Amino acid sequence: MKKVRSISFVSGVIAVFGYLLFTLLAYRQYPLPFSPMTNWLSDLGNVDLNPNGAIYYNIGIILTASMLLVFFLGLSPWKIEENRLQCIMLRLAQIFGGLGAFCMILSAIFPINNFKIHSFWSTSLYILLSTGFIFSAAALRYHKSVPVWLLILGISTAPLVILTKFLPTVYVLEWIVVLIFLAYVSIVGIETNTVIIETLPRPARI
């Protein structure tokens, strides 16, 4: 029997590894000292500060955002048809997640050297994506197989995003938020793949 992979699993893997790969490529071209104590990740996409590497980071952001859009759309296997509230939660997760992914694309089209425009889209993407994650956690909690710690991980993105706005110069907070985003997407993708596999009809014994 052919191996079946969920859309969320495949897109989640591409999003995470794509982001990490292109971030590494941009970092290798960054001509100045770079650390979570003194830099936003978006500095890697600054054409003025990173003229040779910014293109890599911004391409990575667009790729990641495109895959996140597919990731959220691929959460449909979690839908519980007879539970209207759960269906609403799942749909809201897809809507907010999709809007967040769209804002992420615009944050790359307008990188941080266009600070005001970039800041608007960057703030929007963090707010919308974290909202999408919260609604996804709210929808997943109806499934007993989903571990509680995973739900907490998804919900934790919101207070962290709010905290970054109160502490805008604590650069490491943004790094932590991004790492949690990537971890949550990875694990939910794996869990979604498991759900699909478990619902497949088993081959008859000969």
Side-chain angles (χ1 to χ4, degrees):
M1 185 174 65
K2 292 183 178 179
K3 290 185 178 180
V4 177
R5 301 297 185 195
S6 75
I7 295 175
S8 284
F9 174 76
V10 175
S11 59
V13 168
I14 296 174
V16 172
F17 282 97
Y19 178 80
L20 294 175
L21 173 62
F22 282 96
T23 297
L24 178 60
L25 291 173
Y27 169 74
R28 288 176 63 86
Q29 296 293 326
Y30 199 79
L32 303 169
F34 188 84
S35 83
M37 298 296 113
T38 56
N39 293 96
W40 289 298
L41 286 162
S42 295
D43 288 340
L44 292 173
N46 190 324
V47 178
D48 297 329
L49 296 178
N50 193 16
N52 296 323
I55 185 66
Y56 295 117
Y57 187 77
N58 293 323
I59 288 174
I61 289 294
I62 293 173
L63 171 64
T64 300
S66 301
M67 290 299 101
L68 283 178
L69 177 59
V70 178
F71 167 83
F72 279 103
L73 293 175
L75 294 179
S76 295
W78 293 101
K79 183 183 293 185
I80 302 174
E81 294 290 349
E82 62 274 16
N83 190 324
R84 189 167 182 272
L85 180 58
Q86 194 268 353
C87 291
I88 292 173
M89 294 293 183
L90 189 60
R91 181 54 58 88
L92 288 173
Q94 293 173 317
I95 291 172
F96 281 102
L99 290 173
F102 176 72
C103 291
M104 182 181 285
I105 291 174
L106 290 174
S107 76
I109 293 175
F110 301 99
I112 197 169
N113 43 287
N114 300 301
F115 187 77
K116 287 186 177 180
I117 301 176
H118 175 83
S119 181
F120 172 79
W121 292 118
S122 180
T123 299
S124 298
L125 81 86
Y126 281 118
I127 292 173
L128 290 168
L129 283 181
S130 62
T131 303
F133 290 148
I134 287 175
F135 279 118
S136 69
L140 294 180
R141 76 177 182 85
Y142 288 90
H143 293 264
K144 294 181 179 179
S145 61
V146 178
V148 174
W149 62 263
L150 179 56
L151 304 180
I152 294 173
L153 187 68
I155 294 171
S156 69
T157 57
L160 284 172
V161 166
I162 293 171
L163 193 59
T164 62
K165 301 311 160 189
F166 284 102
L167 301 170
T169 57
V170 182
Y171 304 98
V172 70
L173 280 174
E174 184 200 36
W175 291 59
I176 293 171
V177 169
V178 170
L179 287 175
I180 291 177
F181 276 14
L182 295 177
Y184 186 72
V185 168
S186 301
I187 300 167
V188 170
I190 293 170
E191 291 289 330
T192 306
N193 200 61
T194 301
V195 168
I196 288 182
I197 291 174
E198 289 177 350
T199 57
L200 288 175
R202 300 185 181 278
R205 292 183 178 180
I206 298 176

